[in-house]
Amino acid sequence: MLRNLFLLGFAALLIFAVSFTDAVEQDDILVYYSFDKLDGDIFKDDSGNGNDAKLTGNGKLVDGQFKKAIHLNGGVVQLSPANDFIVPIGENGQITMEAWFYLNNHAEYDGIISIEVPGGNCCEFRTMVNPDFNPFWDAGHHADKKLVNFKFELKKWYHYVLVADGIDGKIYVNGEFIGSQPENFEFPKFKEASIYIGAGETPNHHKVEDAIIDEVVIYSKALTEEEVKASMELGVAGVLAVEAKNKLAVTWGQLKEAF
């Protein structure tokens, strides 16, 4: 009986390990704002890469999808001046931009995440909601794209993800693939960039009118649909991968001790 239980436990651990074999690694995460804590006007970069961001204008912490979130009503969260966090995106030719958001009001273009290169041609990377409530984005260059087959609604939480690799830009909403548009554009080797959360070009352009934003993550990797779903359901995929490996090692050690 004990032997059977041991074999069942070992099999479960193998399945658990295999399911995370291709998961996102911590090094894939360039920037991560959980918005769980506001230190003065600073949000720490929870990726550990030191890309702390500053809240300017009206904003406060409220309940989010994972602990706390930032409620912006005229405010913006920004990483400025520009730094070199963006370098791996150009080197790998891949990016994923992920966030939860909740619109209280919407009339114009609302920027969720914007990555801007100093001296660039505007709008290198951004995820937005256009006036018709459609997903709207730029993926490496100022070539605006949208999907008209999906409309966001007010007063609902959405997990909004752009995955781009220069070939095309894919949009996922609430873990589901919504659609894509061709890009056919090789990412330049960007040296530095700024980030604006709650704006879509500069800190004063395409600002959200009244919105809650949570769990902003920028990866130098094109996440798979399975990885997008895991991040939506459980939190940041890179953190989960590390935790899963640690849990596997600890549990396997406990099983050996027990038998």
Side-chain angles (χ1 to χ4, degrees):
M1 181 66 178
L2 287 176
R3 182 174 181 274
N4 289 339
L5 288 174
F6 173 79
L7 291 174
L8 284 172
F10 181 61
L13 284 171
L14 285 177
I15 294 170
F16 182 76
V18 169
S19 68
F20 280 94
T21 299
D22 298 321
V24 174
E25 300 293 338
Q26 185 73 38
D27 290 346
D28 296 321
I29 301 175
L30 304 180
V31 178
Y32 169 40
Y33 302 120
S34 68
F35 298 119
D36 290 340
K37 182 180 179 181
L38 183 59
D39 186 3
D41 59 0
I42 300 298
F43 285 106
K44 292 292 185 182
D45 173 11
D46 294 297
S47 73
N49 292 325
N51 297 304
D52 300 343
K54 182 178 181 180
L55 170 64
T56 59
N58 294 330
K60 63 180 181 179
L61 292 184
V62 296
D63 291 337
Q65 284 296 293
F66 290 86
K67 299 181 181 178
K68 295 298 183 180
I70 182 64
H71 180 193
L72 297 172
N73 187 2
V76 174
V77 177
Q78 57 183 341
L79 167 64
S80 184
N83 73 21
D84 63 356
F85 81 89
I86 198 172
V87 169
I89 293 171
E91 292 175 343
N92 298 340
Q94 298 180 351
I95 188 173
T96 299
M97 297 167 62
E98 169 186 356
W100 284 93
F101 76 92
Y102 182 104
L103 296 178
N104 288 305
N105 292 302
H106 176 66
E108 303 296 334
Y109 286 91
D110 278 350
I112 307 302
I113 308 172
S114 180
I115 300 176
E116 298 294 324
V117 175
N121 190 31
C122 167
C123 319
E124 281 72 27
F125 297 96
R126 59 181 178 174
T127 52
M128 303 178 66
V129 179
N130 73 7
D132 294 323
F133 287 84
N134 304 128
F136 180 97
W137 75 93
D138 293 271
H141 55 153
H142 193 187
D144 299 339
K145 303 294 171 67
K146 65 180 179 179
L147 292 174
V148 298
N149 63 314
F150 183 89
K151 285 194 174 186
F152 297 108
E153 298 179 29
L154 293 179
K155 301 186 183 304
K156 285 188 177 182
W157 277 104
Y158 291 99
H159 185 251
Y160 184 18
V161 178
L162 165 66
V163 177
D165 57 6
I167 299 172
D168 57 16
K170 299 177 181 178
I171 295 295
Y172 297 85
V173 177
N174 293 343
E176 300 296 327
F177 175 66
I178 299 302
S180 65
Q181 293 281 8
E183 297 289 347
N184 298 318
F185 178 79
E186 184 176 353
F187 294 170
K189 299 296 189 293
F190 298 117
K191 294 182 179 180
E192 57 181 17
S194 299
I195 300 172
Y196 306 114
I197 298 163
E201 184 177 334
T202 74
N204 297 312
H205 282 78
H206 307 312
K207 295 168 68 172
V208 295
E209 293 105 324
D210 186 341
I212 303 170
I213 299 177
D214 198 7
E215 295 288 302
V216 167
V217 197
I218 299 171
Y219 309 79
S220 60
K221 174 183 177 176
L223 266 61
T224 65
E225 185 168 355
E226 290 73 20
E227 290 165 345
V228 169
K229 287 181 178 178
S231 185
M232 178 193 71
E233 293 171 356
L234 303 173
V236 177
V239 173
L240 290 176
V242 172
E243 290 177 350
K245 291 174 184 176
N246 291 339
K247 183 177 180 180
L248 177 62
V250 171
T251 308
W252 174 234
Q254 291 171 339
L255 273 176
K256 288 197 294 184
E257 290 177 2
F259 294 95

